[in-house]
Amino acid sequence: MFRLWLVLKSVRLPKSHQRVDHFRPSPSDHLPVPDLKEDPDPEYDPREQDLVERTLRKRLGSNFDPNFMSISPPMLVNFSAPDNQVKLQGPMPNDIKKLDLTETPYGKRLKVGKKARRKFLQWLWTYTHCPVVYTWKDLGVRFWPRYMKEGNCFSERSCSFPEGMSCKPVKSITKVFLRWYCQGFLKQKYCTWIQVQYPIISECKCSC
C-alpha cells in the first residue's frame, strides 16, 4: 500500500499558530500521487523573498536530488524506450526461465530446440516487461524544487499473453521536497517551508 505523508520536520511555530494536525493532509493509496487540491488564492503563495535558492538549498540539505528534482523548467519529455528498444536489465525472471515449453494440455510433448526456446523466452520476457516511464511534473509554486521526475507504469497495452493483465507499481522510492504551508487567515496567517516526503514509482510488475 502506497501512501503520501506530508510530514512536519523541525518546524517551530508561534503558540497561537500551533495546529500540527493540519500539517498532515489526507494520504493517498495510489501512485502516482494525485494532484493536491490547492487554495487558488495567491495570498497563500510564497513571495519572492521566500524563494531564495541558497536559503532553500540549505534547508533541503542532502535531500536535494538532481536526478528527480529540478529548480528550473526541464525538458518535458518522457524517459522510456519504444518496445523494440527496451533494454532488459538483470537476470531473466525465474517464472519465465523455468517454463516447460514441451508440455501441452493434451498430454503430448513437443520437441523444442534450445535456440528456439531461448528466442521464445527472450520474446516473452520483453513482452511482459513493465518499464517505469518517467516524465517531469510541475508541482506548482508551493513546492520546492518545483519540478519532479514522476514515474508511471507503462500502460499502452496489456503485458500478458494472452491479454488481460497490466503493469502495476510494486515498489517506490521517497524523495523529500519543501512545501510552502500557511496557517490562519489573512493578516493572522503564518507561512513557512516544511519538509514533505513524496513517493515516486520505481518498479512495476505485470499483474492482475
Side-chain angles (χ1 to χ4, degrees):
M1 181 179 291
F2 300 101
R3 295 180 180 272
L4 169 64
W5 291 112
L6 303 194
V7 182
L8 174 64
K9 292 189 177 181
S10 303
V11 178
R12 294 181 180 179
L13 300 178
K15 290 184 178 180
S16 60
H17 297 283
Q18 289 182 353
R19 292 283 301 281
V20 178
D21 55 314
H22 283 178
F23 279 93
R24 194 181 290 259
S26 299
S28 171
D29 293 331
H30 305 283
L31 285 183
V33 175
D35 293 337
L36 296 178
K37 294 182 179 180
E38 301 274 19
D39 188 327
D41 191 341
E43 284 291 325
Y44 294 96
D45 291 345
R47 299 161 298 179
E48 185 177 350
Q49 58 264 40
D50 299 315
L51 294 168
V52 179
E53 181 180 335
R54 183 176 180 181
T55 302
L56 296 180
R57 274 186 176 271
K58 185 176 180 180
R59 191 153 193 169
L60 192 58
S62 60
N63 291 310
F64 184 84
D65 185 349
N67 293 319
F68 283 90
M69 51 188 72
S70 176
I71 299 169
S72 56
M75 293 181 62
L76 302 180
V77 297
N78 67 55
F79 300 87
S80 64
D83 277 359
N84 59 358
Q85 297 179 13
V86 171
K87 294 182 179 179
L88 302 173
Q89 297 180 348
M92 181 179 292
N94 285 332
D95 54 350
I96 294 179
K97 190 175 182 179
K98 293 181 179 180
L99 279 177
D100 187 352
L101 303 181
T102 63
E103 292 186 355
T104 70
Y106 312 104
K108 294 183 179 181
R109 300 183 68 84
L110 298 175
K111 290 184 179 181
V112 181
K114 290 184 178 180
K115 187 176 181 180
R117 183 178 188 278
R118 185 174 64 252
K119 285 188 174 182
F120 177 78
L121 293 183
Q122 186 69 25
W123 171 84
L124 186 61
W125 184 15
T126 303
Y127 190 88
T128 59
H129 178 60
C130 287
V132 179
V133 181
Y134 288 104
T135 55
W136 285 103
K137 180 178 182 178
D138 184 352
L139 296 175
V141 72
R142 295 174 189 173
F143 279 90
W144 196 93
R146 178 169 177 166
Y147 301 93
M148 176 195 70
K149 193 160 72 172
E150 180 180 65
N152 287 271
C153 293
F154 181 78
S155 60
E156 293 184 9
R157 58 165 175 77
S158 173
C159 57
S160 63
F161 184 80
E163 294 186 355
M165 300 172 72
S166 59
C167 294
K168 296 182 180 180
V170 291
K171 288 185 181 179
S172 68
I173 55 176
T174 299
K175 297 299 175 181
V176 176
F177 288 76
L178 295 180
R179 165 72 170 166
W180 185 248
Y181 184 82
C182 295
Q183 289 184 302
F185 300 94
L186 301 177
K187 294 182 179 180
Q188 298 297 320
K189 75 178 185 299
Y190 177 85
C191 300
T192 189
W193 288 104
I194 62 174
Q195 288 191 352
V196 299
Q197 296 180 353
Y198 209 111
I200 301 172
I201 294 172
S202 61
E203 185 178 332
C204 301
K205 189 174 182 180
C206 190
S207 60
C208 298

